[in-house]
Amino acid sequence: MLGRALLTGALLLLCLAHVSVAEDSAEVVVDGGEAKNSAVKELDTTNFEHLTQSASGATTGDWFVEFYAPWCGHCKNLEPIWEEVATAMLEKRQSGERSAIIAKVDAAKCKYLAQRFSIAGFPTLIMFSQGKQYAYSGERTAEKLLEFAMGGFKEAKGIPVMKGEMEMNQVEKLQHLWQVTFHNDMVQIWKLHKAAFFFFVIASFLVGIIVGRFTVPTNAPTPSSKKKN
């Protein structure tokens, strides 16, 4: 009885260990139909923010993400190197070290994420850490990428993580609407046609006066006149 209980417990521990490793890897199919485990996390619009918590800055760990397109030749060349980096970082996490999670996003398919992070070329590599994002612009070698992922990104200039409409609150949405519908246009007018900018400001001021003149009644009784009557 005791031996059977110990055997059952050992098998249960082995199963849990297998599940833990499987969570950090995904099975992919390579040429020839052969399946292998990948250390690169697949992210898309449905799970990106849930897993990375990039906008909130929550402590789910650092994420080094490749935004790629399936037809991109540079992305295909990077694929084995990216897998090598992901495997090295996974081994560090499994040994108890703190290390970034390596992931990728099909930006050609996930239009929302591509627009959110202003992806203009492929591959684009961004590190997300504690509410900030750091763009990678160095050599695409395993050595340089590992150096960046293991803390080198802190020497780069980081910016607050960009938010899409799904990550914005109501105030941020209003600010974004102001930015894209009015502020940016005024900046462009100022840069290209300063005279037109001043004309627009003066015209808006005059229109405001005229509208106010005709919308506010001039014959409204004043408090003093009511008292005399």
Side-chain angles (χ1 to χ4, degrees):
M1 290 289 292
L2 179 61
R4 182 176 298 178
L6 291 174
L7 180 60
T8 303
L11 289 173
L12 180 60
L13 289 174
L14 286 173
C15 290
L16 290 174
H18 177 73
V19 170
S20 176
V21 172
E23 287 179 350
D24 277 328
S25 62
E27 191 176 80
V28 296
V29 178
V30 296
D31 293 341
E34 182 182 354
K36 70 171 186 177
N37 288 329
S38 173
V40 179
K41 288 277 191 179
E42 285 274 4
L43 299 177
D44 55 32
T45 306
T46 63
N47 66 6
F48 184 93
E49 194 59 34
H50 174 70
L51 292 177
T52 67
Q53 293 292 303
S54 61
S56 66
T59 56
T60 61
D62 297 338
W63 289 74
F64 197 10
V65 182
E66 174 200 6
F67 294 86
Y68 73 98
W71 43 260
C72 169
H74 295 297
C75 301
K76 293 178 181 178
N77 292 335
L78 179 62
E79 187 173 356
I81 299 173
W82 200 240
E83 188 67 45
E84 180 181 346
V85 173
T87 300
M89 300 302 276
L90 175 59
E91 290 174 353
K92 289 181 179 295
R93 287 200 305 280
Q94 291 176 341
S95 65
E97 294 184 47
R98 178 182 173 85
S99 62
I101 301 170
I102 307 301
K104 63 181 179 179
V105 172
D106 184 347
K109 180 180 179 181
C110 302
K111 303 291 186 183
Y112 174 81
L113 293 175
Q115 183 178 11
R116 173 184 171 183
F117 295 110
S118 301
I119 305 302
F122 303 110
T124 295
L125 308 177
I126 303 177
M127 171 68 78
F128 297 94
S129 176
Q130 298 181 351
K132 288 189 175 182
Q133 63 182 70
Y134 304 81
Y136 179 80
S137 58
E139 299 176 21
R140 297 187 194 123
T141 63
E143 181 182 358
K144 293 296 182 181
L145 290 167
L146 280 169
E147 182 180 324
F148 185 83
M150 293 174 64
F153 67 89
K154 295 178 182 177
E155 299 177 5
K157 183 180 179 181
I159 63 172
V161 171
M162 297 178 181
K163 293 182 179 180
E165 289 188 5
M166 292 192 296
E167 293 75 38
M168 295 180 184
N169 56 39
Q170 291 301 322
V171 174
E172 290 171 332
K173 286 181 179 179
L174 290 173
Q175 291 174 339
H176 179 71
L177 183 63
W178 158 265
Q179 187 78 19
V180 300
T181 60
F182 185 77
H183 178 265
N184 290 347
D185 290 340
M186 290 298 97
V187 170
Q188 289 301 317
I189 292 174
W190 171 258
K191 288 181 179 179
L192 300 176
H193 304 288
K194 289 182 173 60
F197 178 85
F198 283 114
F199 174 79
F200 179 84
V201 172
I202 294 171
S204 299
F205 178 73
L206 293 174
V207 169
I209 293 177
I210 295 170
V211 171
R213 177 70 177 80
F214 285 100
T215 55
V216 178
T218 57
N219 57 351
T222 62
S224 58
S225 63
K226 287 182 178 180
K227 189 175 181 180
K228 290 179 180 179
N229 292 335

